[in-house]
Amino acid sequence: MKKFYLSVLTTLLFAVCSFAQNAEVSGTVRDNETKEPVFGATIRYEKGKGTVADAVGKYAVSIPAGEYEFVFSSIGYKTEKKKVTLSAGEKMKLDIILKPDAFKLAEVTTVSQYKKNAAKETVSISVMTKDQIKNTNSNDIGEVVNKTPGVLVQDGQISIRGGSSYSYGVGSRTTLLVDNLELASADLGQTQNTFVPLENVKQVEIIKGASSVMYGSSALNGIVNVITDWPTEAEPKTEIETNLGVSDQPKDKRMKWWDATPPFFGSLNVSHQRRIKDLQLMAGGNISYNRSYLQGDDFWRLRMFVKTRYIDRKHPGLSYGVNGSFQIERADQFFLSRDLDSLFLVPAASSSSEYNKTTIDPHLYYSSLKGHNYRFQARYINIFRDGNGTDINAVSHGLILNNQYQYRLRNMLVLTAGMPFNMGYSQSNLYVNSGSHFNFNWAVYGQAEFNYKVLSLQG
């Protein structure tokens, strides 16, 4: 028995001493042009051994002393190799810059479900960057995409290439996504253009045409996917933007219905980002007001949002968090002019609406060294319309669940499978029998993509 205990003790001491003599290599993987971290980059030092860069591009490995060749790779980038010699107990800092593997256009994720050069996509796609969006001084996503060729927005409905999206109040055939999750009311399926947090948009991807069946029948006309930003710098950063505009007087002075104060509009955007150890935090909001040149067509909005993502160091490649947003909106609508002469800007019929909107989005992502990726996203969306006159309050509750698995075999084969689930419960005077309506749908999908040199196949 004494020999057995002595053997166990000797083994433990040997293991502790061996671990203490390991060398440690750590660093950050970044993009050559944008200097942003490359999320999910693989780092290998031996066949089948290595790690995956986390959400801020950081990695760390503990290995025995010796000579190694580190291989850094990620889809869309050229592979980088570094030879290093490590001594026992050494801590080496090894930061890597990855270069794009082709002439670089904007990277998109909507079609292939992973970051991919837009020039390599097999469908028609347009991308609006953060700087382009800022320069438009837009108040909602409709005003942003309306400046894209082939896209028309009428009464808040997005129509692409003359598709049949336009049907006010009864749903849309153009899907609006925010971070790959649909942003629409559960009752009418109406896109919530004013609820998109433009103060935190990284880019907008517009897919033109029925290019992907993974998003269902509501995407037959196309997809508008809004990708929001994450902190990219170690230091806290706050951005404040404002804009103001004034409407001129009409040429026909008889049409002027306002007093000395002319119609005007303005907005204030605030966004703050910071990293607290392994926690990424984004927060901000928007205030918009418009006193329209059309009498009785005013609106004001107050929106707030928060995004969180925790990087689990105990489980490399794992990150999770919860996002949320809230908006109060008061809007009037101008339907018909009183006449086509001096009262052209005065309404014969108008209405007003008061909305409270809320979303809560838990999310989880895992990426392994062997090319396995799992993503879970959920969204609860609540839209409350305050009734006026004889109208009762209308409320809709929507729940979206999205499970997705993806396997990547180097840069050649990408297999994606998922099971989305949508459920809605609504109460409104539209439902005359019971005053409420329940709906749900679910589906499964699979997608395969093969890339070899200039050949790209997707189905």
Side-chain angles (χ1 to χ4, degrees), residues 7-53:
S7 176
V8 173
L9 181 61
T10 303
T11 303
L12 291 175
L13 289 174
F14 177 77
V16 171
C17 292
S18 299
F19 180 78
Q21 292 177 357
N22 279 357
E24 183 178 298
V25 180
S26 62
T28 304
V29 184
R30 294 185 178 275
D31 183 280
N32 179 56
E33 297 182 5
T34 65
K35 307 306 178 185
E36 293 185 357
V38 179
F39 176 39
T42 58
I43 300 96
R44 292 182 172 86
Y45 55 87
E46 286 182 358
K47 186 176 181 180
K49 294 183 180 181
T51 187
V52 178

Side-chain angles (χ1 to χ4, degrees), residues 190-252:
Q190 190 173 359
T191 57
Q192 302 299 306
N193 296 347
T194 63
F195 202 14
V196 176
L198 290 183
E199 59 274 14
N200 188 40
V201 172
K202 182 178 181 181
Q203 68 181 32
V204 177
E205 302 171 8
I206 305 170
I207 314 300
K208 300 177 180 179
S211 56
S212 178
V213 297
M214 289 192 297
Y215 296 98
S217 60
S218 60
L220 291 177
N221 192 212
I223 303 166
V224 176
N225 191 9
V226 180
I227 308 299
T228 58
D229 212 354
W230 286 106
T232 57
E233 302 177 6
E235 297 297 324
K237 180 181 178 181
T238 301
E239 294 184 352
I240 300 176
E241 299 177 356
T242 185
N243 64 75
L244 180 67
V246 179
S247 297
D248 198 1
Q249 296 184 10
K251 292 183 178 180
D252 187 344

